[in-house]
Every structure is written in C-alpha cells, then in structure tokens.
Amino acid sequence: MAKTPRSVKGTRDLLPPDTAVWAAVEATAREVFGRYGYREIRTPILEETELFVRGVGESTDIVGKEMYTFDDRKGRSLTLRPESTASVARAFVEHGMASWPSPVKLFYLGPQFRYERPQAGRYRQFHQIGAELLGDPGPWSDAELLLMLVRFLAALGFAEPVVLLNTLGDEASREAYRKALVAFLAPHRETLREDSRRRLETNPLRILDTKVPEERELLAGAPRLADHLNAASREHFDAVRRVLDRAEVAYRLEERLVRGLDYYTRTVFEITAAGLGAQDAIVGGGRYDRLISDLGGPEVPGIGFAIGEDRLVDVLPEAFRRAAAERTRALVVPVGEVGPAEALALAEELRTAGAAATSDFTGRSLGAALRRADKLGVRWVALLGDEELAAGEVTWKDLETGEQRRLGRGEVAAAIAAALAGAAAGGREGDEAAGGAGEAGRGPAGEEHGGREER
Ligand code: HAM
C-alpha cells in the first residue's frame, strides 16, 4: 500500500484553535509596530542564493550548512530565505528607498527556512516577526527599536523582558579584537573542538558563544572585546545604554553575545525565555551599518530584530492565549417542527449581532444537540421551537453561567453585544496581568519533531 503522506520533517501544520492565537500575536505586532511608524514589507520567499552568501556571510552556519538551495529549471541557484534582513536590504536598494523620507521603518511577518536538526523549538520552516530601521546611525534609533520590541512583548503580557545587550564595535575595533583573540587561542588550537578550530580561521568571534565547558573555561582568560573598542564605538554604546536607562528598558550586558550572522556592527542583542530549553532565544537582532553598501547600495546604516514566532507562542502568557482563543460562539438548535430554514435565518441574525454562529441542521434529539454544543465549546445555545417561532422569541441558554431564559429576537443581539463588550474588557485586563516569560508552560507542539529519524 502507498505510504500516507506526512508533513516534511521540520515543518508542521498550524491548526485551530492555535491559529487564532498566532493571528492575535500578529495583530498585536501590527498594532504596536504601527504606532512606532513601521509599515509592512512583503518580500519573496525565494531569492538568489548570492544574496545570502554576500549578506549573511559565507562563513556562517546559515550559509555554510543550513540553506535550502536548488537550481531552478534554467539552472539559476535559488534559496528559500533563511532570514529576511538581507531580503529587506536588497529591496531597499532595488526600489531606491534611500530617496524615501529617512529613516525607513519596515516590518515583516512570515516563514523562514533553515536546514537545522529539528528539536523542541527548532524547525526547518519557522516563522519570524521582524522590524528593520534603515537610514539612521544614531543611538536613539537603537533605543527606540528596543523600546518598541519591549512594548510589543509587554502587550502580549510578558512581564519585564530583559534585553541581553552587547556591542561588536565598528570594523576597526572588531578587527583589532579578532587579532587579539586569534593570538590568544592559537597556542590552544589542538585542544579546541573541530567546529571552533574551523572558526579560528573563518570567524573567530563565534568561538565566544561555544557551549563546550572546557572551551568556556579557556575563554575565561581570553582578551575582552570591550577592551578593544575604539572611542567612537564606545561612545555609541554608552549613548545607547544611557537612552535605554532613561526609557527604563531593562537590559543586561552580555560580553559573549556575538550573534551568528556576519552583517552585524556595533549594537547586538537577544532576548531569551526561560522554559524553552536549549533553544531559548526568542529574539535576535542588531545594527548592520555596512550591509546595504556591501550589497552594492548607498552607505545607509540599519538596525533591526527578528522574533521567532514559534518559540514566542510556546511561552505566551496564559491570559493572552486564553483571550485570543476564546470565541464567542452560539449554536442554533431547531426543535420540533422548526426546520433548517428558520435555524439558518436565526443564525444569520446572531452573526449580524457579532457572534460566531452555527446551526444544527441534522434534526438530532435535543440531548444530542446539547452534547454537541458542549463538545464544540460554544458559549450559547439558541433553541428555536414552534412556540418560540410563533412568539418571535428564542430560548437562550448561556452554558457559561447555566442561565436559561426566553428572549425576544431583538433582545438576543443586545445580550450578545453586552457579552462581547465584557469579553473585550476582560481581554484588555488580561494584557495587564502579565506573567513572566519563564512562567508559562511549553506547548506540546515543539516536542513532536525531536523523535523523528535523523535528517
Ligand atoms: P536570528 O537570531 O538568526 O536572527 O533569528 C531570530 C530568531 O528566529 C531567533 O531568536 C529564534 O527565535 C528564531 N529562529 C531562528 N532559527 C529558528 C529555527 N530553526 N526554528 C525556530 N525558530 C528559529 C535573524 O534572523 C536576523 N535576521 C535578525 C535581525 C533582523 N537582525 C537585524 N535585523
């Protein structure tokens, strides 16, 4: 027998009711980012491979081993985007956005693809919500972007997200540091793992975020990046910190934070969430002042971040999740001689009033209809019998309170409106009642893929 098709390893279907939660997260991003003047950009999922080789960098894991790259029918090398900053930079140059009012503030939502080993919180198709600010080199923009990020997380109910912050300095500082680090590590070359030995040649700074305990021990005595910053780099970073203090954005200095993409200069940051295990970064970002010119565009600096939406949803505070998943739904049940046509008409009235309504057309018994209502998790059942129909009324059961009463058809709309207004107010209260990122439980979805066969 033919094998049953399954979703490709490392990809997954998002199903209801989870999709309602995803949609609510995305609506919140649109709302908050919009308030900071960001507008949406949608770039293609397919790009020329060359874009990521030049933009993200040849020595990175992403370009070296994680890209979905293939030749199209005419032999052009194309890649499913592993991230979107390079695409946004390409679009900036392609559409001459340097002539738009500066800075250009853009956000995006959508799937990204990396051929990584799937595990909890790590997928081959994952989703990012990102923002890029192009055209301003100053520390105020770094701070405003981080402020927006923190406000977004607060709107989802995360209490006090802490930004892990570092600076890589400008190119001159980084080059000076690279030399010092290589000089320090070279005598220990033989004790390093293969990955780190390779990085010693290609990208020594990445060795700093090694997870190998012996390497971490060795690095404790390594020269510090902070000691190799030139005056301009140090001043920029000090200014960013001053502005963050003033805006009351909580951050922690993280000397070892170097990020895995080559385009970063100066400010870099991440946000991690407890309860996510090894894949605990929910946001990564930083400044990339040379990316646009490296892609052949004008000298335009940029800074941005991308949030891993899959991981974000996994640790979402329960209040937001509940408010998002809750639908105010009604089930119309015709009783006795009342037929589907009348049920359909009533359901339509309820929809006009703002409820999500379905009708039971099957003519099953009242008991069976109520059991179905319970399974569907509806809030209200509207019973429509001959008597109700003749009187222009419905029997209105609120399954949440257990209350049952006869209402005129016109009064039903008012009852729904009152309940919806209550739900909206409750939802807003939920936003304020924040739980820390670490307190929320993990969704089950992330675990599933870890068990499948290797590669
Ligand atoms: P990144 O750190 O590679 O940065 O990715 C950002 C976030 O995407 C990560 O913190 C993580 O939450 C999520 N993510 C990455 N890989 C996976 C995966 N395999 N499965 C699930 N989630 C994942 C960037 O992509 C940069 N473009 C960010 C940026 C924007 N920098 C400047 N502007």
Side-chain angles (χ1 to χ4, degrees):
M1 221 173 53
K3 163 168 152 282
T4 317
R6 294 191 64 178
S7 61
V8 170
K9 183 175 157 93
T11 73
R12 59 180 176 153
D13 302 305
L14 298 174
L15 306 176
D18 294 351
T19 37
V21 176
W22 282 67
V25 166
E26 289 162 11
T28 306
R30 290 176 188 284
E31 156 64 21
V32 175
F33 296 176
R35 257 187 268 153
Y36 284 78
Y38 284 71
R39 295 181 296 169
E40 185 176 4
I41 181 167
R42 300 189 190 196
T43 61
I45 285 170
L46 275 179
E47 296 276 1
E48 288 178 1
T49 301
E50 184 64 16
L51 171 66
F52 302 112
V53 174
R54 281 171 64 185
V56 176
E58 209 146 5
S59 70
T60 61
D61 284 351
I62 293 179
V63 171
K65 46 189 185 192
E66 295 171 0
M67 293 205 300
Y68 277 92
T69 296
F70 59 93
D71 286 348
D72 75 1
R73 287 169 191 279
K74 285 272 166 63
R76 305 176 191 95
S77 181
L78 303 181
T79 292
L80 299 182
R81 64 180 182 202
E83 64 105 49
S84 287
T85 308
S87 304
V88 171
R90 176 202 46 73
F92 184 94
V93 178
E94 190 168 331
H95 302 286
M97 292 187 209
S99 68
W100 293 14
S102 178
V104 175
K105 294 171 161 186
L106 300 169
F107 76 86
Y108 52 86
L109 310 163
Q112 322 286 330
F113 303 84
R114 294 184 195 174
Y115 197 81
E116 294 189 84
R117 210 169 72 73
Q119 64 182 77
R122 192 160 74 191
Y123 304 96
R124 289 182 174 172
Q125 174 174 340
F126 60 99
H127 304 80
Q128 285 185 342
I129 301 176
E132 314 287 352
L133 185 156
L134 303 136
D136 182 12
W140 290 97
S141 284
D142 303 37
E144 190 195 69
L145 180 95
L146 285 168
L147 191 58
M148 175 173 87
L149 173 59
V150 166
R151 288 281 182 266
F152 168 63
L153 294 173
L156 299 178
F158 288 100
E160 295 265 329
V162 178
V163 178
L164 308 178
L165 189 70
N166 194 18
T167 181
L168 300 177
D170 60 12
E171 266 173 310
S173 308
R174 209 156 35 150
E175 186 48 29
Y177 180 64
R178 201 186 62 82
K179 283 204 179 111
L181 186 64
V182 170
F184 171 83
L185 288 172
H188 305 281
R189 195 173 184 284
E190 294 317 309
T191 67
L192 297 176
R193 297 289 165 91
E194 194 192 323
D195 246 7
S196 296
R197 240 178 289 155
R198 187 171 38 80
R199 285 179 173 155
L200 198 55
E201 260 90 65
T202 57
N203 197 352
L205 265 64
R206 280 309 305 282
I207 301 175
L208 291 182
D209 64 11
T210 176
K211 303 245 170 11
V212 180
E214 297 79 42
E215 294 187 350
R216 291 185 82 115
E217 217 168 285
L218 171 66
L219 285 166
R224 296 172 57 227
L225 208 162
D227 296 332
H228 292 77
L229 296 178
N230 56 22
S233 300
R234 195 188 312 275
E235 266 161 37
H236 180 92
F237 194 51
D238 288 347
V240 171
R241 293 177 55 186
R242 272 199 307 276
V243 186
L244 289 177
D245 288 337
R246 169 110 185 257
E248 294 182 13
V249 172
Y251 64 87
R252 195 169 78 222
L253 295 181
E254 196 70 41
E255 276 191 20
R256 294 279 164 78
L257 181 66
V258 287
R259 307 273 304 132
L261 301 89
D262 276 357
Y263 49 61
Y264 291 113
T265 49
R266 300 183 189 270
T267 317
V268 288
F269 55 88
E270 279 184 5
I271 295 181
T272 55
L276 271 181
Q279 306 304 318
D280 64 351
I282 53 171
V283 187
R287 189 164 266 294
Y288 46 89
D289 291 347
R290 310 240 355 121
L291 176 61
I292 290 179
S293 55
D294 283 351
L295 293 176
E299 297 271 337
V300 172
I303 181 166
F305 63 75
I307 301 164
E309 195 175 359
D310 306 75
R311 293 180 193 175
L312 183 74
V313 169
D314 271 354
V315 292
L316 210 52
E318 210 38 52
F320 186 89
R321 188 189 297 276
R322 225 179 309 116
E326 238 166 29
R327 295 296 313 275
T328 320
R329 294 186 303 168
L331 180 69
V332 174
V333 181
V335 189
E337 298 302 306
V338 174
E342 295 298 344
L344 187 134
L346 174 57
E348 197 57 23
E349 281 172 36
L350 303 185
R351 290 175 192 129
T352 306
T358 38
S359 323
D360 197 319
F361 295 135
T362 55
R364 68 187 99 208
S365 73
L366 184 57
L370 290 179
R371 279 195 296 281
R372 177 164 175 254
D374 201 43
K375 264 202 202 133
L376 287 173
V378 304
R379 164 101 189 256
W380 299 292
V381 177
L383 298 176
L384 190 60
D386 302 318
E387 220 188 290
E388 284 96 339
L389 193 61
E393 295 180 338
V394 298
T395 295
W396 189 246
K397 266 175 96 70
D398 188 327
L399 299 188
E400 211 169 274
T401 60
E403 190 189 4
Q404 176 171 324
R405 54 193 166 138
R406 283 278 280 266
L407 290 179
R409 298 272 283 243
E411 292 171 309
V412 171
I416 292 172
L420 289 177
R428 277 198 299 279
E429 274 162 30
D431 283 358
E432 308 294 332
E439 287 164 30
R442 279 192 54 77
E447 314 290 347
E448 268 164 34
H449 293 256
R452 291 208 201 167
E453 78 288 356
E454 182 70 351
R455 301 255 148 180

